[in-house]
Amino acid sequence: MVDKKWQENGYPARLEERLPDNVVRCHLSPRNCRIRPGQHGFCMVRANRDGRLVSLNYGRSVHATEETIETEAVFHYEPGARILSMGNIGCMLNCDYCHNWKTSQARYVEDKDVFYYTPQEVIDIAKRHEIDVISWTYNDPVVWHEFVTETAALAKEAGIVNLYKSAFFISERAIEELIPVIDIFSISIKSIDPKYYRKITKGWLEPVLDGTEQVYRAGKHVEVSTLMVTDLSDNEQTAHDIGRFVLDRLGPEVPTHFVRFHPDYKMTNTIRTPVERLEAARRVGLDMGLRHVYLGNVYDTESTDTRCYNCGELQITRYGLNAQILAVTAEGTCAKCGADANIRRVPGGGRRPATVDDLPTTHEFDTATFDWYGDVRALHVQVRNDSSQPQEVYHRRTHQGTRSNPWSVVNLQPGESYRFIAAKSEVDERGVAVAVPPSCTSSLHQVFDRAHFPTTTADSGSLNADVTPLPLFEARG
Ligand code: SF4
């Protein structure tokens, strides 16, 4: 039996239209759901309570998680920056292959996976951990619009950048409310085929394209990505159509990502996207005149690096979710030829956590290691300080042979729960090691591809007691 305590209290919703007989219409997404008293909209997180439209997921979130900006298919905004990812519950779409269906489809959400935050608490987490970017992500941020706009406004006042990662099936009026507070839009355009949208996503195409153009014209930093679904959309026609849209309605400088798919939700009877199809799609985009075309969820390829479109200089190298800036100025231009690289920098951004070479010898730690295997090359580590004193948690990557990295330090306040990603960052890397004081509770969660939020929570036990199993997909072809 799935509890629904998180749905008990409604929060006054924006973009409401009141109709006769206590009926309301929601103007947040293009569905414009007409909702009778006691019922909810398609997304199941906006409802009619006594003739008024309410949000049922205000401040109701999956666990706040520290990741890197590359997780969000954002390659041209402070590469390597740490972000605080905030995801919630519900979605205005229902894609057959959703990677986050346990949180995006509200009927599957369990109370144990729901965490409660106020806007100020989100800001406090980011500041405490010296994170300069908040990312509104995972299921889809559209459906907790009130919490996003209010928190993003507070973040902006605090000097924090806001990133919006979305399928962008959203109304023009709602976008107008986002534009003053959101700095970066990473937009997932599933296809340029209207039939595909209707059949696979249960939405429709035109508002997505119009909305993407709307934020681009507003001067926002925009990157677009397309999930290349095996035998469905992983072809050169998709690449051509996306390229045409970017060139005709945005600009050649807009980074464009072709993302590898893994079987999930209702589409499990298939395989991962063959990498050579992705490489072919990338070549189509480059040949059409796009300046920056990348592959996503793909390792061991130069197609995730950034080169100057003008002189060919290697500007940024990437491995997985990690980036290293080689030849980009603080102004976002090529360090060799001076051409505009369309790379925006966070003022004073790119802060990294403190590191130490050795664990302190003054107290004990429980240490656990996890070795990367198959396609599992990232973990979420969740830790909670159960003591009344501040505590330090340590983590580092392990390598083949004797080489060892320094330990990164995570500071936890008394009672604080924190979650962060550890992702494979080098070819010869073996896995990750985590060291926690005995007074902390912790768990590991395997992450399968970027922007995936594993839902198994850590509420008891040791590091090895809560590893979320995921199928090991082998790429063919
Ligand atoms: S957000 Fe979209 S799906 Fe949800 S109630 Fe409003 S119009 Fe309907």
Side-chain angles (χ1 to χ4, degrees):
M1 176 68 184
V2 176
D3 294 332
K4 291 291 171 200
K5 285 203 190 73
W6 58 271
Q7 286 189 335
E8 276 171 10
N9 298 314
Y11 185 88
R14 304 179 65 80
L15 302 162
E16 170 201 55
E17 180 188 358
R18 299 179 76 178
L19 301 172
D21 301 322
N22 275 347
V23 174
V24 292
R25 191 182 295 283
C26 173
H27 289 279
L28 175 52
S29 86
R31 287 189 194 284
N32 292 338
C33 293
R34 188 173 173 280
I35 310 172
R36 294 182 178 283
Q39 298 193 333
H40 48 65
F42 176 95
C43 58
M44 294 180 69
V45 291
R46 293 169 86 77
N48 182 333
R49 292 275 169 84
D50 302 322
R52 300 305 303 258
L53 182 66
V54 296
S55 161
L56 298 177
N57 61 354
Y58 184 91
R60 283 144 211 181
S61 173
V62 295
H63 203 295
T65 304
E66 177 189 321
E67 301 182 304
T68 59
I69 201 163
E70 286 69 24
T71 313
E72 308 296 31
V74 173
F75 278 15
H76 281 236
Y77 205 111
E78 193 56 45
R82 294 154 65 227
I83 62 174
L84 185 67
S85 291
M86 299 295 300
N88 71 108
I89 295 150
C91 189
M92 63 292 165
L93 298 174
N94 185 357
C95 301
D96 286 353
Y97 45 68
C98 183
H99 293 177
N100 287 311
W101 59 275
K102 284 185 183 168
T103 54
S104 72
Q105 301 307 306
R107 67 177 67 88
Y108 301 116
V109 175
E110 298 180 51
D111 286 347
K112 71 177 179 59
D113 296 323
V114 180
F115 291 77
Y116 295 78
Y117 297 96
T118 65
Q120 189 58 49
E121 282 170 344
V122 176
I123 309 305
D124 290 346
I125 295 168
K127 290 196 96 65
R128 193 158 58 238
H129 293 277
E130 301 187 324
I131 295 174
D132 299 309
V133 181
I134 293 175
S135 179
W136 303 97
T137 181
Y138 296 137
N139 56 319
D140 202 291
V142 166
V143 290
W144 64 340
H145 185 70
E146 291 75 17
F147 190 74
V148 171
T149 49
E150 291 176 28
T151 310
L154 270 185
K156 202 169 177 62
E157 281 172 22
I160 296 170
V161 167
N162 286 289
L163 189 168
Y164 199 87
K165 169 99 170 72
S166 174
F168 227 46
F169 188 62
I170 182 172
S171 72
E172 185 180 343
R173 280 172 58 193
I175 293 173
E176 288 301 328
E177 296 186 350
L178 292 176
I179 283 173
V181 292
I182 301 293
D183 305 280
I184 308 165
F185 287 88
S186 176
I187 298 176
S188 171
I189 300 174
K190 315 290 184 186
S191 165
I192 304 287
D193 178 358
K195 287 198 208 89
Y196 178 105
Y197 257 85
R198 289 278 183 184
K199 184 162 184 267
I200 305 295
T201 74
K202 323 303 179 294
W204 47 100
L205 172 67
E206 297 76 17
V208 178
L209 302 184
D210 292 346
T212 305
E213 185 173 357
Q214 188 181 347
V215 292
Y216 178 78
R217 300 271 165 238
K220 298 296 172 179
H221 181 79
V222 176
E223 305 202 17
V224 300
S225 56
T226 298
L227 190 69
M228 306 294 275
V229 181
T230 311
D231 296 335
L232 187 65
S233 58
D234 60 342
N235 50 52
E236 296 186 20
Q237 186 64 47
T238 298
H240 180 270
D241 293 347
I242 293 284
R244 205 58 280 145
F245 167 74
V246 172
L247 290 169
D248 289 351
R249 296 180 62 178
L250 310 177
E253 80 288 0
V254 171
T256 304
H257 304 249
F258 294 122
V259 180
R260 196 176 190 202
F261 151 91
H262 77 253
D264 215 327
Y265 193 32
K266 300 175 192 166
M267 290 181 77
T268 53
N269 190 24
T270 182
I271 60 167
R272 302 210 75 180
T273 321
V275 173
E276 67 269 19
R277 296 188 194 174
L278 295 166
E279 297 283 6
R282 179 171 181 267
R283 278 194 298 278
V284 168
L286 290 172
D287 288 348
M288 292 176 74
L290 296 174
R291 290 180 188 164
H292 306 288
V293 187
Y294 300 107
L295 302 190
N297 294 337
V298 173
Y299 289 70
D300 306 315
T301 171
E302 293 181 1
S303 298
T304 56
D305 293 338
T306 299
R307 285 189 177 273
C308 176
Y309 78 92
N310 187 46
C311 72
E313 180 74 358
L314 182 61
Q315 296 173 316
I316 303 165
T317 58
R318 297 186 182 80
Y319 190 87
L321 304 177
N322 299 274
Q324 191 181 0
I325 300 174
L326 301 178
V328 181
T329 67
E331 291 73 39
T333 58
C334 177
K336 185 175 179 198
C337 75
D340 183 2
N342 187 34
I343 293 175
R344 304 201 193 181
R345 311 294 301 269
V346 176
R351 293 184 289 175
R352 302 289 187 267
T355 58
V356 294
D357 287 336
D358 299 299
L359 292 176
T361 54
T362 48
H363 50 283
E364 299 289 311
F365 290 94
D366 294 333
T367 305
T369 58
F370 181 92
D371 288 350
W372 309 127
Y373 72 96
D375 282 332
V376 177
R377 285 176 274 208
L379 279 184
H380 278 180
V381 180
Q382 189 166 316
V383 284
R384 191 182 64 221
N385 178 1
D386 294 323
S387 76
S388 57
Q389 300 296 321
Q391 299 287 347
E392 289 178 343
V393 169
Y394 298 83
H395 62 102
R396 71 175 177 187
R397 312 293 158 67
T398 58
H399 289 266
Q400 316 287 352
T402 55
R403 187 180 150 209
S404 59
N405 281 6
W407 294 91
S408 297
V409 187
V410 178
N411 293 294
L412 294 180
Q413 294 299 304
E416 179 178 2
S417 179
Y418 196 61
R419 186 157 171 150
F420 59 91
I421 197 168
K424 185 174 181 180
S425 57
E426 293 177 88
V427 178
D428 70 340
E429 202 177 279
R430 180 170 168 173
V432 63
V434 184
V436 299
S439 55
C440 291
T441 305
S442 54
S443 60
L444 305 181
H445 309 252
Q446 298 172 46
V447 174
F448 202 77
D449 287 345
R450 62 190 185 190
H452 167 228
F453 186 89
T455 53
T456 305
T457 57
D459 51 11
S460 64
S462 64
L463 276 171
N464 284 327
D466 188 14
V467 175
T468 308
L470 281 167
L472 178 59
F473 295 109
E474 297 293 351
R476 298 206 308 257

